[in-house]
């Protein structure tokens, strides 16, 4: 995905792991999350107005799809930077961590 080309992960001087997304990627992710937040408020309004259930479920499905897109962007950036970096450092445990992360995302 093109959005992730400037994602880096590193360890801070305290040993804490952090990801460092480019301003472009952060802006993209925050924009997507703001839209999702608006969609959720919209669904709440639909429920409060007793909107037909199927219409509400359709909106919930769109929200889930949008969240999956955010997850895919983060996952791709994580794989291409953090995971690769840690493997290059000799930390093979990151592979098991990554597999658990994928399993968590696939449950949804």
């Amino acid at each position: 995905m093109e959005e992730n080309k400037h994602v880096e992960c590193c360890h801070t001087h305290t040993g804490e792991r952090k990801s460092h997304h480019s301003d472009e990627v952060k802006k993209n992710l925050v924009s997507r999350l703001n839209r999702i937040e608006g969609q959720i408020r919209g669904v709440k309004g639909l429920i409060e107005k007793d909107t037909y259930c199927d219409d509400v479920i359709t909106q919930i499905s769109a929200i889930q799809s949008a969240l999956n897109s955010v997850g895919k962007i983060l996952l791709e950036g994580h794989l291409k930077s953090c995971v690769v970096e840690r493997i290059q450092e000799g930390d093979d445990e990151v592979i098991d961590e990554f597999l658990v992360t994928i399993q968590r995302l696939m449950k949804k």
Side-chain angles (χ1 to χ4, degrees):
M1 289 181 187
E2 187 68 21
E3 298 100 25
N4 305 339
K5 63 182 177 183
H6 302 296
V7 177
E8 298 175 12
C9 289
C10 67
H11 300 274
T12 64
H13 64 279
T14 62
E16 178 185 12
R17 291 186 294 181
K18 287 190 165 196
S19 65
H20 297 275
H21 304 288
S22 71
D23 288 342
E24 178 185 344
V25 171
K26 278 187 201 178
K27 185 177 177 181
N28 179 8
L29 291 170
V30 168
S31 175
R32 288 170 181 264
L33 291 169
N34 285 338
R35 279 195 304 270
I36 291 166
E37 190 175 30
Q39 287 175 296
I40 291 170
R41 281 192 301 272
V43 166
K44 181 180 174 187
L46 293 175
I47 290 171
E48 289 171 345
K49 291 188 254 177
D50 294 322
T51 302
Y52 184 61
C53 296
D54 192 59
D55 295 338
V56 176
I57 291 167
T58 298
Q59 292 305 310
I60 290 170
S61 177
I63 293 167
Q64 288 171 327
S65 178
L67 276 173
N68 285 340
S69 292
V70 169
K72 287 175 189 176
I73 290 169
L74 288 168
L75 189 64
E76 181 179 346
H78 182 58
L79 177 61
K80 288 181 175 181
S81 59
C82 304
V83 174
V84 168
E85 179 183 302
R86 287 178 58 192
I87 290 171
Q88 290 171 344
E89 293 172 352
D91 182 1
D92 291 338
E93 289 179 19
V94 71
I95 295 169
D96 291 330
E97 177 186 285
F98 187 72
L99 291 172
V100 168
T101 299
I102 290 173
Q103 289 171 353
R104 253 194 324 255
L105 280 174
M106 291 179 74
K107 279 186 194 177
K108 300 179 169 76

